[in-house]
Amino acid sequence: MAGFTTRTIHAIEEIDKGAVTPPIYTASTFLQPTEGGEGEYEYQRGGNPTRDSAQRTLASLENAQHSFLYATGMAATATALGTLRAGDTVLMNLPVYGGNYRFATIELPKRGVDHRFLLDPNTLSDADFDDSVKAVFLETPANPTLRVSDIQRISELAHRHGAIMIVDNTFLTPYLQRPLELGADITVQSATKYLAGHGDLLGGVASTNDDALAEELFKAQLISGGILSPIDSYRLLQNVKTLALRMDRQQENTRKIIEFLEQHPAVAAIHTPGSHSSEEAEIQQRQADGKGAVFSMELAEGRDVRAFLGRLSVFGFAVSLGGIESLLCLPAGMTQGAYAASDLERSDIAENLIRVAVGIEDVEDLIADLDHALDAA
C-alpha cells in the first residue's frame, strides 16, 4: 500500500482529460438512459462524482471499505448514533464534545434511546453490559481533558456483548490513529477540523468496513439530505492533501510550546494525551502514532485567566481546532456550555480550564504571545 500522503494525492486514479485535479460536478440532477434502467448518478443527494472522489480518498486514509461525507461533523455523529433503535442504550465517555453531549441528552431520548456516561471507559467490564447496550461511543483523546481510552480492549468487550464501537477520531485523524484497525465498527470525524484544516469549511465523515452499517450510513445521506456539497467536497479533497504536513508542523509546535509552559510559574497543570496516568500513556503510545496538537492547561492560583486572554495577539479566542491558525477557548462556557453543572464537575472541567489548539505559525511567535499573556495574568 502506498504511503499516507501519497494516498491523499493519488487515491483517485480516474481524472478527466489528464487534469491533475478532479473536476467539480455541481449538477443537481443527471440525465438517465431513455431505454430504461438507471445511470451511475441520478440526483445529487444520492450521489455525486466529486463527493465520491473525496469519499474514496478518505476511505483509503482510514483503510476503510466505505466513507460517507455529511454537511457537518455533528451530522456524521448523528448518523452513526442513528443506527440505534428505541430501547437501545449507548455507553459514552464523559467528558465528550458538547455537541455529542447535546445529542445524547436531548435527541436520543426523543427516539427512545438511553445513554450512560462513563468517567473512565478503561474500567468497563462485562458487568457493564446488559441486553440493552448496543453501542459504545468514545472520544479518545477526550475533549477537552485529553483522557485516553483503550480502543482495542473496549471494542473486543463491546463485540462480546453484541454492541458496536463508534470512535470519534477528530483530534488525531487517520494520520495518527486508525480506530477501524483497532476493532472499531464506525469512526467519525469533524472534517471541519484537521481534514479541511483552514477554518473555512464545515463537514463530517463516517467510515466503516461493515457492509450493513455502510448501507445505513448511505441511506442517511439519501433520506436526511445532510450531504456535503460538491464544492465543499472538492475543497476538502484538495485540503486533505496537506494533512500530514500540517499535522507534523502542528505537533512539533505543540511539543515546543509545552516545553516552554512546563517551566512557566504561571501554569499549574498541562493535560496531554497520556498525561493522566502511566496506563493511559501506554495506551496512547500503543494505539496512536502521535499525541496531536491539542492540549489543555490550568493557570496557577491567583492568576487572572481573563487578563491572560485579553493580552493574546497571535492566538485567537474561539471554539474549533485543527486549523492552520492557533486557537484557545474556555470549554466550560464554550464547547461544553450545554453541560449540566453536575456533569461539568464530574468531568473535571473547571471554569478556568483552557483548551489550546496549536496551528502552523512560527513557534517563536506563539511562545512569545503566550509568555506576554501569562505575564499579564
Side-chain angles (χ1 to χ4, degrees), residues 143 170-171 192-194 197 199 250 293-294 318-325 327 335 355-358:
N143 182 3
T170 297
F171 273 28
T192 309
K193 312 303 192 292
Y194 289 102
Q250 287 167 300
V294 178
V319 298
S320 202
L321 55 100
I324 56 174
E325 64 287 323
L327 300 173
T335 55
R355 191 189 72 187
V356 184
V358 180

Side-chain angles (χ1 to χ4, degrees), residues 86-271:
D88 291 349
T89 297
V90 58
L91 307 181
M92 182 178 289
N93 64 287
L94 190 73
V96 70
Y97 168 58
N100 296 337
Y101 178 91
R102 282 193 202 95
F103 198 84
T105 58
I106 297 174
E107 180 61 27
L108 287 182
K110 297 177 184 177
R111 306 181 183 191
V113 176
D114 198 7
H115 68 275
R116 296 209 307 267
F117 286 131
L118 310 168
L119 293 179
D120 185 359
N122 292 322
T123 64
L124 271 174
S125 69
D126 292 301
D128 294 297
F129 287 79
D130 56 34
D131 291 341
S132 74
V133 176
K134 299 301 181 185
V136 179
F137 183 98
L138 291 181
E139 287 179 1
T140 181
N143 182 3
T145 59
L146 288 306
R147 293 289 302 273
V148 174
S149 299
D150 191 331
I151 297 172
Q152 184 171 1
R153 190 191 79 83
I154 299 170
S155 293
E156 292 171 354
L157 182 61
H159 294 159
R160 195 155 64 237
H161 293 274
I164 66 170
M165 175 72 128
I166 306 169
V167 177
D168 186 328
N169 198 37
T170 297
F171 273 28
L172 296 185
T173 81
Y175 180 53
L176 298 178
Q177 181 171 267
R178 291 165 295 282
L180 297 180
E181 295 178 1
L182 298 167
D185 299 283
I186 300 175
T187 180
V188 296
Q189 294 173 77
S190 171
T192 309
K193 312 303 192 292
Y194 289 102
L195 297 181
H198 291 74
D200 60 356
L201 183 158
L202 291 182
V205 57
S207 303
T208 186
N209 283 317
D210 185 294
D211 291 342
L213 289 173
E215 184 66 18
E216 291 203 54
L217 298 177
F218 166 70
K219 284 183 178 178
Q221 285 184 323
L222 183 65
I223 295 169
S224 72
I227 54 171
L228 196 65
S229 73
I231 292 175
D232 283 344
S233 295
Y234 173 81
R235 294 170 63 214
L236 176 61
L237 188 59
Q238 293 303 99
N239 290 354
V240 82
K241 293 177 182 180
T242 61
L243 173 61
L245 301 177
R246 288 185 278 108
M247 290 203 79
D248 284 346
R249 172 66 173 251
Q250 287 167 300
Q251 287 195 107
E252 179 63 14
N253 280 357
T254 302
R255 182 185 65 78
K256 291 178 179 179
I257 289 170
I258 289 175
E259 287 177 355
F260 161 75
L261 293 174
E262 286 175 336
Q263 306 303 318
H264 202 291
V267 178
I270 299 171
H271 308 286

